[in-house]
């Protein structure tokens, strides 16, 4: 198998593995196959059983019918032959064949019965002399009925000596009489007086006519025959199978019904059937045997009065057309297919379609759209409803947690923004926060800027320690915010520097606000942690900027003014004017 063959198979297998509906279809088909195989076996078994039952019934009826036809044709002749054998005239003649009167009476009796025999013929062998008397339907031997004398040395006459050894009564035999050039079914009736055999008489029926009447009736798939107690074929539509002169031929040379079957077990089965019907327990028995490699139903009946078996061979398939069962098979397949399709449809609607909806809800939930999930499913329903209800509960909990998380994220974002734009020590804006405020305000109007520096802050740290310096930094920031109020935006610009933005300020308002800051520093000392008080002061540089001026320009102008304020002795305000030039900063 090449790659081009494996790839489609792998693709189909992968597609089936990923698609529940296809797997369901595959499972249904496999289930259908799993049911179809035993169903087919059961259907075949039922069909065969029905055919066997019908064939067996047909065989029994056929055997009974053939038995009736065989007996009807032969029993009349046997009855006449038995009546002739019991005639006193015949017995008297057989005791004293040389008496002319008894001979005339005996021949008259034979001629009388010849008129009643279907074949119109008779034969009589007187045992004392061995003389063979015969006449046919054309009365060809009138006055010359004694034809010859039987001879135990003549193989053709062995039938007589074999027959006289049998019990009293009539016995049937098929014989081809070469002397008389006739082939007949002979009814040989043994006449006894005690243990003494007086002779054998009887009549015959032409074999061809007998076969035409009894065994040669054309029936599709049916072959009838008559066999004797040893299984030798006595009557058959194929005359090559008829055991001619069966009472005189050697067994190995005879053609028997047992030679027709294929195996030894089949021969045993056939023998068992013959034994059963001859025992008188049942009139007909049937069984299947192999003949010529084909299973054949054989039915056996027993013609007890004749000592023959009626054997009927039937080709069941030829008698009963299996196509008659085809509509039943088609109906069974259609019903199974309909059930499979209905199961697939029901499963699709009750499971797959609802799973598709659930999958859509899950996909929406993955997009943080929990609305479709709310109210989905029913906790009191089936497994899918309960799964949907559980998912709805989960979606509701996830939505609540998401909202809570978003609120916390917003809060944390605000906190981070506060940390990003606020000075952690003083709580006022840091440089970044002040730059953002300046960008928002300075682009639309003129503004004022105060740059405030704590006087002698390094000396404070050196003298009182950094903890005191931190207290001073925080206290100064609070005093600046209190002094500027809502009009100013205060930020920590450096370690001990602050900057204040005054939107839409004028020179007058700028000075007033700066003076307020200076006054706030002078009102009271800063209380240090060690219970000491410390006087503080600040120096302020102020500048006015136009709308759109960059922050760096305004800061540089304020810084120049602050430098001048410190140079003039600190604790004072200087407003930048055009004559000032920016100078390097000093502490």
């Amino acid at each position: 198998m090449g790659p081009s063959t494996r790839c489609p198979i792998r693709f189909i297998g992968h597609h089936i593995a990923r698609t529940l509906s296809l797997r369901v279809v595959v499972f249904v088909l496999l289930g259908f196959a799993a049911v179809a195989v035993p169903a087919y076996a059961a259907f075949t078994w039922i069909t065969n059983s029905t055919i066997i039952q019908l064939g067996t019934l047909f065989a029994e009826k056929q055997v009974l019918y053939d038995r009736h036809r065989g007996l009807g044709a032969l029993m009349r002749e046997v009855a006449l032959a038995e009546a002739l054998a019991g005639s006193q005239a015949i017995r008297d003649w057989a005791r004293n064949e040389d008496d002319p009167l008894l001979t005339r009476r005996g021949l008259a009796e034979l001629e009388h019965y010849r008129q009643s025999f279907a074949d119109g013929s008779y034969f009589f062998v007187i045992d004392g002399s061995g003389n063979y008397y015969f006449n046919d339907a054309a009365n060809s031997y009138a006055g010359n009925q004694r034809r010859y004398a039987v001879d135990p040395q003549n193989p053709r006459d062995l039938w007589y000596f074999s027959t006289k050894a049998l019990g009293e009564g009539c016995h049937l035999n098929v014989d081809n009489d070469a002397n008389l050039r006739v082939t007949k079914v002979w009814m040989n009736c043994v006449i006894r007086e005690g243990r003494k055999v007086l002779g054998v008489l009887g009549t015959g029926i032409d074999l061809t006519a007998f076969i035409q009447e009894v065994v040669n009736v054309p029936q599709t798939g049916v072959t009838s025959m008559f066999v004797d107690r040893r299984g030798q074929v006595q009557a058959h539509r194929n005359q090559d199978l008829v055991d001619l002169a069966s009472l005189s031929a050697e067994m190995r040379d005879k053609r028997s019904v047992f030679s027709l079957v294929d195996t030894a077990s089949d021969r045993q089965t056939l023998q068992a059937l013959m034994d059963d019907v001859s025992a008188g327990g049942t009139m007909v028995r049937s069984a299947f045997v192999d003949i010529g490699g084909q299973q054949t139903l054989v039915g056996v009946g027993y013609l007890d009065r004749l000592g023959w078996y009626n054997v009927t061979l039937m080709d069941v398939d030829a008698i009963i057309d299996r196509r008659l069962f085809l509509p039943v098979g088609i109906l069974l397949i259609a019903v199974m297919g309909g059930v499979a399709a209905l199961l697939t449809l029901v499963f699709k609607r009750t499971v797959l379609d609802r799973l598709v909806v659930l999958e859509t809800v899950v996909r929406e939930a993955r997009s943080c759209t929990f609305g479709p999930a709310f109210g989905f499913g029913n906790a009191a329903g089936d497994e899918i409803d309960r799964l949907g209800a559980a998912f709805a509960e989960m979606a509701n909990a996830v939505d609540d947690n998401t909202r809570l998380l978003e609120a916390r994220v917003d809060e944390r974002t605000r906190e981070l923004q506060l940390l990003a734009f606020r000075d952690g020590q003083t709580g006022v804006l840091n440089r970044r926060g002040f730059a953002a405020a300046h960008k928002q305000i300075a682009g639309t109007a003129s503004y004022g800027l105060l740059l405030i520096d704590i006087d002698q802050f390094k000396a404070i740290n050196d003298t009182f320690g950094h903890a005191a310096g931190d207290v001073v930094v925080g206290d100064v920031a609070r005093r600046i915010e209190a002094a500027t109020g809502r009009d100013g935006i205060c930020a920590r610009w450096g370690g001990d520097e602050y900057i204040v933005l005054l939107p839409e300020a004028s020179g007058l308002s700028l000075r007033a606000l700066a003076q307020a800051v200076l006054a706030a520093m002078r009102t009271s000392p800063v209380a240090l942690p060690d219970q000491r008080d410390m006087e503080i002061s600040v120096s302020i540089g102020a500048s006015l900027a136009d709308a759109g001026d960059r922050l760096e320009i305004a800061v540089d102008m304020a810084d120049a003014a602050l430098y001048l304020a410190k140079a003039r002795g600190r604790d004072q305000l200087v407003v930048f004017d055009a004559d000032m030039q920016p100078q390097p900063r000093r502490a």
Side-chain angles (χ1 to χ4, degrees):
M1 183 181 295
S4 60
T5 304
R6 291 196 299 267
C7 289
I9 296 176
R10 184 179 301 173
F11 172 77
I12 293 173
H14 180 70
H15 191 57
I16 291 175
R18 286 176 51 86
T19 308
L20 179 60
S21 58
L22 289 180
R23 291 207 303 272
V24 170
V25 172
V26 170
F27 290 150
V28 169
L29 291 177
L30 291 177
F32 179 81
V35 174
V37 170
Y40 174 77
F43 175 75
T44 302
W45 179 81
I46 292 173
T47 301
N48 291 335
S49 298
T50 303
I51 291 175
I52 291 173
Q53 294 295 327
L54 293 176
T56 302
L57 180 61
F58 180 84
E60 293 176 353
K61 298 299 181 184
Q62 183 67 34
V63 168
L64 291 176
Y65 174 61
D66 289 344
R67 182 177 185 273
H68 172 73
R69 288 190 300 163
L71 286 177
L74 295 177
M75 288 308 297
R76 177 179 175 276
E77 302 301 304
V78 172
L80 289 174
E82 288 179 341
L84 178 60
S87 171
Q88 189 62 44
I90 296 297
R91 290 179 173 270
D92 291 342
W93 181 28
R95 293 190 196 98
N96 190 2
E97 183 182 7
D98 295 333
D99 189 332
L101 178 62
L102 295 179
T103 299
R104 286 194 300 271
R105 291 176 59 186
L107 288 173
E109 189 76 358
L110 290 174
E111 289 296 328
H112 172 73
Y113 273 88
R114 183 178 68 81
Q115 305 298 323
S116 300
F117 285 136
D119 188 57
S121 66
Y122 64 82
F123 70 88
F124 182 34
V125 180
I126 297 178
D127 187 69
S129 63
N131 289 328
Y132 183 94
Y133 294 87
F134 176 80
N135 199 0
D136 59 16
N139 199 21
S140 302
Y141 305 100
N144 193 25
Q145 288 92 335
R146 188 175 66 178
R147 305 303 303 151
Y148 61 90
V150 296
D151 184 359
Q153 304 301 320
N154 186 351
R156 296 300 304 167
D157 294 336
L158 290 180
W159 68 269
Y160 170 74
F161 298 100
S162 299
T163 301
K164 66 178 282 188
L166 300 175
E168 186 174 8
C170 293
H171 308 278
L172 275 72
N173 181 36
V174 178
D175 184 39
N176 181 21
D177 194 319
N179 293 319
L180 300 178
R181 292 179 296 177
V182 292
T183 301
K184 292 186 177 181
V185 178
W186 295 102
M187 281 146 281
N188 305 319
C189 299
V190 181
I191 304 172
R192 288 180 177 272
E193 192 173 66
R195 293 186 176 182
K196 182 180 180 181
V197 176
L198 299 179
V200 177
L201 63 78
T203 185
I205 298 178
D206 184 81
L207 183 62
T208 304
F210 175 76
I211 292 174
Q212 184 66 33
E213 182 179 356
V214 179
V215 300
N216 206 32
V217 176
Q219 289 178 283
T220 302
V222 179
T223 301
S224 297
M225 68 184 76
F226 290 98
V227 302
D228 64 13
R229 290 185 179 91
R230 291 170 295 179
Q232 309 308 312
V233 179
Q234 301 297 312
H236 195 283
R237 68 179 63 177
N238 180 5
Q239 294 195 32
D240 292 338
L241 294 176
V242 176
D243 178 27
L244 303 179
S246 61
L247 292 180
S248 59
E250 294 293 334
M251 288 297 296
R252 63 178 178 271
D253 298 325
K254 294 178 181 178
R255 298 172 180 175
S256 71
V257 68
F258 300 110
S259 65
L260 299 178
V261 298
D262 294 346
T263 64
S265 62
D266 288 335
R267 288 190 284 273
Q268 293 176 359
T269 300
L270 185 56
Q271 183 64 61
L273 297 179
M274 296 171 64
D275 292 341
D276 287 346
V277 295
S278 61
T282 180
M283 295 183 66
V284 180
R285 285 293 309 275
S286 60
F288 278 94
V289 297
D290 290 333
I291 297 179
Q294 182 177 1
Q295 194 176 49
T296 303
L297 182 63
V298 57
V300 179
Y302 184 57
L303 309 180
D304 50 348
R305 294 292 301 274
L306 306 179
W308 279 8
Y309 294 96
N310 176 203
V311 179
T312 301
L313 306 178
M314 286 160 287
D315 182 357
V316 176
D317 290 334
I319 298 172
I320 304 175
D321 191 353
R322 291 179 181 268
R323 290 177 296 179
L324 296 174
F325 297 91
L326 184 59
V328 177
I330 294 175
L331 178 61
L332 179 61
I333 293 174
V335 170
M336 293 177 63
V339 170
L342 180 61
L343 290 177
T344 302
L345 179 61
V346 171
F347 186 81
K348 178 179 180 298
R349 290 190 174 182
T350 57
V351 178
L352 297 181
D353 290 348
R354 295 163 68 191
L355 289 178
V356 169
V357 175
L358 180 58
E359 181 183 12
T360 303
V361 171
V362 172
R363 291 184 181 277
E364 292 291 335
R366 289 178 60 186
S367 304
C368 297
T369 304
F370 298 101
F374 298 150
F376 183 81
N378 182 6
D382 58 15
E383 289 81 356
I384 296 180
D385 281 336
R386 294 197 294 272
L387 177 62
F391 180 76
E393 294 177 0
M394 182 186 71
N396 190 38
V398 170
D399 185 50
D400 291 342
N401 291 334
T402 301
R403 294 178 184 276
L404 179 60
L405 181 61
E406 288 177 349
R408 290 180 177 178
V409 168
D410 291 341
E411 181 180 356
R412 183 59 178 167
T413 300
R414 287 192 297 270
E415 291 176 355
L416 292 176
Q417 289 177 346
L418 185 61
L419 292 175
F421 291 96
R422 292 280 177 178
D423 179 62
Q425 186 175 6
T426 61
V428 297
L429 294 176
N430 58 16
R431 277 182 176 250
R432 183 181 298 172
F434 186 80
H438 173 271
K439 183 177 180 180
Q440 183 178 3
I441 295 173
T444 58
S446 60
Y447 60 93
L449 202 65
L450 299 180
L451 195 60
I452 305 169
D453 185 77
I454 302 174
D455 294 333
Q456 304 297 333
F457 183 72
K458 184 178 183 302
I460 295 174
N461 282 333
D462 293 342
T463 304
F464 298 96
H466 288 283
D470 292 340
V471 173
V472 170
V473 168
D475 190 77
V476 169
R478 287 189 292 273
R479 294 187 187 197
I480 293 173
E481 282 191 315
T484 57
R486 295 182 178 180
D487 294 333
I489 298 173
C490 179
R492 187 177 182 184
W493 195 246
D496 59 341
E497 278 189 332
Y498 300 87
I499 191 169
V500 177
L501 178 66
L502 301 172
E504 300 180 357
S506 62
L508 184 60
S509 62
L510 182 64
R511 286 181 177 275
L513 198 58
Q515 291 298 334
V517 172
L518 289 174
M521 302 303 163
R522 298 167 183 161
T523 56
S524 60
V526 176
L528 298 178
D530 57 0
Q531 305 300 320
R532 290 183 293 174
D533 294 332
M534 182 176 61
E535 298 290 339
I536 61 171
S537 64
V538 296
S539 298
I540 302 175
S543 64
L544 287 172
D546 295 329
D549 283 351
R550 291 185 295 119
L551 178 60
E552 293 82 356
I553 296 174
V555 170
D556 286 343
M557 291 188 298
D559 190 58
L562 176 62
Y563 178 80
L564 186 58
K566 285 185 174 289
R568 291 178 180 178
R570 298 183 176 87
D571 190 22
Q572 57 184 289
L573 165 66
V574 175
V575 178
F576 181 82
D577 57 31
D579 295 333
M580 295 180 183
Q581 295 295 327
Q583 299 289 332
R585 298 284 310 274
R586 290 186 175 86

